[in-house]
Amino acid sequence: MIIVIIAVNFTAQARYTDILNIRRANRGIAALRSMADGEHYTTLEGKSIVRTAYADRNDRTTLFTAPFSVADYTFSPDERTLLVAAAEGSQTIYRHSFTADYWIAKVGGVPEKILSAVRDVTFTPDGKSLIYAKENNLYIYDIATAESKAITDDGRWNEIINGTTDWVYEEEFGFTQAYAISPDSRKVAYLRFDESQVPIFEMMRFDGSLYNKAYSFKYPKAGDKNSVVELWVYDRESGTKRKVDVGAESDQYISQLGWTPAGDLYFFRVNRRQNHFEIVVDNNGVQRVAYDEKAPQYVERKS
């Protein structure tokens, strides 16, 4: 009996070792981002951004090392400039969203802090500007002049959100950046959420501290009112805005927006029952439904 027990234990240990070896052989690479040449990718390793060749993992180059812990980073379209979010001082909002201080630097250069406590920052396609959100409003930052200009000014906590999503969209659709920049960098399309009629939910947050704090936010339970969502387009040259027709139904979802290579705006429209899905293309107010799908029960959301 003793011999049998020893044999079983040995077999179990061998199997466990095999499992560990398999896990090590198939380890993942966190935050892998492909580069434009299709031959390299970058990863965040500690405080450094490292470029590695797909064909040779020993072909590695450190592109940038920050003097602080990095929460996120993105390259400019020409991949010569880095925008880096600092982990220190960053604040989570919901599951995916957070605010942080942002730094900019040439690849291999010294970073310079440019924005504080902002979120959802993106380069324009021409690489000359940044679009970002702060306190429910949307802004443009000119990299050459280091000046910001407001696109919206009516944002208010628990009432109006411009350019970022409300809790429902972030949780159910999985995105937080609710704006898109045209290929010529001239226009910014953005969603405007009016959540003033959405019920308030109150909870306690600890956020790593010893004592909790009361936190109130707009959270619609099943059957309650959702945000009324509008789609707007801001023209950077003229400084004017145009409201886009998203249909007569206000209780619906605009689940994605973007621009075609030709410069036409498009958006995804889903009714609240989520059994009617459309892709609408808008050319300066002239619209066409490029895709239309209905089902008795449910239509899978497209991404």
Side-chain angles (χ1 to χ4, degrees), residues 78-262:
D78 62 8
E79 297 184 338
R80 296 179 181 178
T81 305
L82 275 165
L83 182 69
V84 183
E88 288 88 349
S90 63
Q91 297 289 328
T92 58
I93 303 173
Y94 300 128
R95 185 189 298 265
H96 306 291
S97 53
F98 66 94
T99 62
D101 296 341
Y102 280 79
W103 300 63
I104 198 167
K106 294 294 183 182
V107 171
V110 179
E112 175 189 3
K113 185 178 177 180
I114 57 171
L115 298 168
S116 299
V118 301
R119 56 175 295 189
D120 295 283
V121 189
T122 303
F123 280 99
T124 54
D126 61 13
K128 296 179 180 179
S129 305
L130 301 170
I131 308 296
Y132 68 91
K134 183 170 185 176
E135 296 175 351
N136 289 20
N137 281 312
L138 205 56
Y139 297 84
I140 299 172
Y141 177 86
D142 186 283
I143 295 174
T145 64
E147 295 180 350
S148 289
K149 179 180 179 180
I151 296 176
T152 67
D153 59 8
D154 61 342
R156 293 183 298 277
W157 176 249
N158 277 347
E159 291 188 30
I160 302 295
I161 308 171
N162 292 291
T164 59
T165 57
D166 66 355
W167 183 91
V168 170
Y169 274 56
E170 178 171 341
E171 184 68 20
E172 300 300 330
F173 293 101
F175 72 97
T176 65
Q177 178 184 308
Y179 67 84
I181 311 162
S182 62
D184 61 4
S185 301
R186 175 179 171 176
K187 298 177 180 179
V188 182
Y190 64 94
L191 298 181
R192 180 183 184 272
F193 293 78
D194 183 346
E195 58 177 0
S196 57
Q197 300 303 309
V198 178
I200 290 180
F201 187 84
E202 296 185 353
M203 61 180 289
M204 292 295 175
R205 292 183 60 165
F206 286 87
D207 295 327
S209 61
L210 182 60
Y211 293 96
N212 59 291
K213 293 181 180 179
Y215 183 74
S216 300
F217 65 104
K218 293 303 182 83
Y219 173 84
K221 296 190 177 183
D224 286 335
K225 289 185 177 180
N226 278 334
S227 295
V228 176
V229 182
E230 298 173 346
L231 175 57
W232 290 78
V233 175
Y234 173 76
D235 190 305
R236 296 179 60 188
E237 291 186 5
S238 65
T240 59
K241 301 174 188 174
R242 174 176 69 91
K243 185 179 179 180
V244 178
D245 181 10
V246 296
E249 179 59 64
S250 61
D251 192 12
Q252 62 182 1
Y253 305 108
I254 307 301
S255 61
Q256 187 170 322
L257 69 158
W259 298 85
T260 68

Side-chain angles (χ1 to χ4, degrees), residues 28-35 40-44 50 52-54 57 73:
I29 301 176
L32 182 152
R33 303 183 187 187
S34 291
M35 302 201 73
H40 297 84
Y41 63 88
T42 61
T43 52
L44 179 62
V50 180
T52 306
Y54 281 111
R57 296 184 65 177
Y73 71 93

Side-chain angles (χ1 to χ4, degrees), residues 275-297:
N275 63 354
H276 187 193
F277 169 78
E278 300 167 280
I279 300 177
V280 182
V281 179
D282 180 284
N283 184 345
N284 293 317
V286 179
Q287 295 187 348
R288 63 183 176 88
V289 177
Y291 182 83
D292 192 324
E293 182 179 351
K294 297 179 181 179
Q297 288 80 28

